[in-house]
Amino acid sequence: MSKLAIVGAGYVGLTTAACLADLGNDVAVVDIDESKVRQLRRHRLHFYEPGLQELVERNARAGRLAFTTTYADALPGAEFAFIAVATPEGEGGAADLSYVESAAASIAGAMDGPLVIVNKSTVPIGTGDVVSARVQAAGASHPFDVVSNPEFLREGSALRDFMHPDRVVIGAHDRAAAERVAKLYEPLGAPILIYNLYTAEMVKYASNAFLATRISFINEIARICERVDADARLVAEGMGLDRRIGPDFLDAGIGYGGSCFPKDVKALAAIAERFDLHPALLTAVMEINRDQRLVAVEKVQECLGTLRGQVVGLLGLSFKPNTDDMRDAPSIDIARGLAAKGAHVRAYDPAATERAKLLLPEIEYRGSAYAVARGADALVVVTEWNEFRQLDLQRLKRSMRRPVVVDGRNIYDPQRMRDLGFVYRGIGRN
């Protein structure tokens, strides 16, 4: 058993802490947000992630997981300190490292022995050196190493992703320090890749940028499919069976969102520009994704003729199912785009309503998909929650004033929708 401190109680920090505690380690989570820590001490989460609350409660009751607002409580006796704080978009798209640097300085002031400092946050290449310099400058009185250990957690399946990873990536200037971190992950039985510090940091950015590229690529193909009477979903199926390509991240829709892809693609482009490179592909990926969000608005207007005075319902608000995360969610641009053209917008989401109200206070919120449909002129499927796949479509149609459905996630069969009497528009499907 090892003693660990985790700095940051967000999606990554809390998932990492709970999972490492479940593997038998003694874990203390430090977060400067007092209300968040009070909530966690009552085993209540401030965000939705399937299974995580139960894991937190079990390990907290077992004495393996604790929460504090002070580094002085979390760091003494720790062998490892994981930094899992936010790295929001900064000037010019570059990642803002102020929270990372603040955490590094606080760790330096509280450490009471040799320490391995692990960067879990998504950070630009070279951040390990920045952290090392910051710890030194803050007067660290004990030896330390800085290791990169990027996360690959998907919101909605974070526990499975942590416990059953495709690979664990670790990078350091000192291999012995990397191997110490590797031992924490040995119980998972996954491939452990040890690289130099900069390579490990780049793996994270390159992975997210590539997945975002696949999404923008299939959305570009989808727009062409609509013009040539091809079905983008079947095109993706035919592509995905090629072993060189594979099926994942080839679902045409209204684009990606969330806390990772938008920010990380932009940050990688900013890194390239800093070295006088021209990230043409990354720029195109971002432009296609931005434009794709407006496709839903265009399709609704095409079906209704005008949006002024029309009632348009959104099914789903979070950027993906099984999370309440609204960060850079396509629903934000879609709702604002519809409202800007005069539509009355109402919405329902199984988990994200409270977070959405903070970002979209101007729209109406209802308690079910059927309530959103009542008297609506059009519905837009924004998030592919399973709940929406199982709706009584005949009941939905009877509730609507005009039976228009724009399926931004292609969850319905076009022919069946038309047979039921809907005016149906998918993405890349005719």
Side-chain angles (χ1 to χ4, degrees):
M1 181 182 75
S2 298
K3 181 171 173 53
L4 292 74
I6 309 283
V7 181
Y11 283 96
V12 174
L14 193 56
T15 300
T16 300
C19 289
L20 287 173
D22 208 53
L23 293 175
N25 298 290
D26 181 6
V27 182
V29 179
V30 57
D31 196 291
I32 60 174
D33 187 328
E34 293 183 5
S35 64
K36 188 184 297 184
V37 169
R38 280 197 302 270
Q39 195 171 342
L40 288 168
R41 283 173 174 168
R42 296 195 298 268
H43 311 149
R44 293 286 177 255
L45 271 60
H46 47 285
F47 58 87
Y48 176 73
E49 178 64 38
L52 184 55
Q53 181 163 311
E54 294 81 0
L55 194 69
V56 166
E57 183 171 4
R58 183 170 75 244
N59 283 281
R61 291 191 186 283
R64 292 187 297 267
L65 183 60
F67 303 96
T68 180
T69 57
T70 67
Y71 286 79
D73 287 339
L75 264 296
E79 304 162 62
F80 304 90
F82 284 72
I83 298 177
V85 297
T87 52
E89 181 183 330
E91 187 176 349
D96 179 356
L97 295 179
S98 57
Y99 296 116
V100 172
E101 294 193 49
S102 176
S106 297
I107 288 169
M111 60 192 290
D112 65 348
L115 190 66
V116 176
I117 301 172
V118 184
N119 270 336
K120 200 70 177 171
S121 302
T122 299
V123 293
I125 294 81
T127 301
D129 293 341
V130 172
V131 168
S132 182
R134 192 72 182 88
V135 173
Q136 289 281 19
S141 55
H142 299 278
F144 68 92
D145 291 285
V146 175
V147 173
S148 173
N149 175 215
E151 54 86 16
F152 300 98
L153 306 178
R154 296 169 297 171
E155 291 179 33
S157 59
L159 298 188
R160 176 173 176 77
D161 290 343
F162 190 100
M163 293 299 196
H164 305 280
D166 294 329
R167 78 292 199 200
V168 175
V169 176
I170 300 170
H173 293 316
D174 181 82
R175 187 175 180 89
E179 289 175 346
R180 288 188 63 195
V181 176
K183 287 188 179 300
L184 295 173
Y185 291 98
E186 283 181 355
L188 302 181
I192 297 177
L193 310 176
I194 296 180
Y195 300 136
N196 69 32
L197 189 66
Y198 311 128
T199 300
E201 291 171 335
M202 178 58 97
V203 167
K204 170 66 174 180
Y205 274 114
S207 296
N208 279 358
F210 180 71
L211 295 176
T213 299
R214 286 176 67 101
I215 294 170
S216 285
F217 174 82
I218 198 61
N219 282 332
E220 184 91 329
I221 293 298
R223 302 192 81 167
I224 300 172
C225 283
E226 291 182 2
R227 299 300 177 92
V228 301
D229 200 23
D231 188 320
R233 192 164 187 175
L234 298 180
V235 170
E237 179 184 50
M239 293 171 57
L241 289 172
D242 187 323
R243 285 173 294 180
R244 298 169 301 172
I245 298 173
D248 296 334
F249 291 85
L250 287 179
D251 294 316
I254 50 177
Y256 58 78
S259 63
C260 294
F261 286 4
K263 176 174 66 70
D264 293 353
V265 176
K266 196 174 291 186
L268 186 56
I271 292 169
E273 290 170 350
R274 194 172 77 233
F275 288 98
D276 296 323
L277 300 173
H278 179 52
L281 178 58
L282 298 177
T283 300
V285 167
M286 292 185 284
E287 290 175 352
I288 292 168
N289 194 64
R290 181 197 63 218
D291 294 344
Q292 196 67 15
R293 298 180 175 199
L294 303 179
V295 166
V297 178
E298 294 168 3
K299 287 180 179 290
V300 175
Q301 185 165 16
E302 172 193 315
C303 293
L304 298 180
T306 179
L307 290 173
R308 188 157 302 281
Q310 307 296 308
V311 177
V312 182
L314 305 184
L315 298 183
L317 292 163
S318 57
F319 86 93
K320 63 180 290 188
N322 298 320
T323 180
D324 60 353
D325 198 344
M326 286 292 297
R327 285 176 288 185
D328 209 10
S331 62
I332 299 170
D333 290 335
I334 292 170
R336 289 173 179 168
L338 291 166
K341 291 180 178 290
H344 174 79
V345 182
R346 59 171 70 143
Y348 163 70
D349 188 280
T353 296
E354 294 308 311
R355 289 182 182 271
K357 286 178 179 178
L358 301 175
L359 298 167
L360 296 167
E362 67 275 18
I363 72 173
E364 178 188 356
Y365 295 89
R366 294 202 168 183
S368 72
Y370 299 112
V372 166
R374 195 174 303 124
D377 297 288
L379 295 176
V380 182
V381 179
V382 178
T383 312
E384 63 273 35
W385 287 91
N386 283 335
E387 175 179 333
F388 301 145
R389 301 177 191 271
Q390 306 300 324
L391 293 174
D392 182 336
L393 296 174
Q394 291 181 326
R395 177 184 172 188
L396 204 72
K397 179 176 175 288
R398 287 195 302 269
S399 299
M400 299 177 71
R401 185 161 60 190
R402 299 168 69 179
V404 173
V405 172
V406 173
D407 187 355
R409 298 300 183 183
N410 288 339
I411 66 173
Y412 300 126
D413 177 75
Q415 190 57 54
R416 179 169 183 246
M417 294 296 285
R418 293 184 182 116
D419 289 345
L420 289 170
F422 285 98
V423 177
Y424 177 85
R425 296 288 186 275
I427 305 296
R429 311 178 83 186
N430 292 314

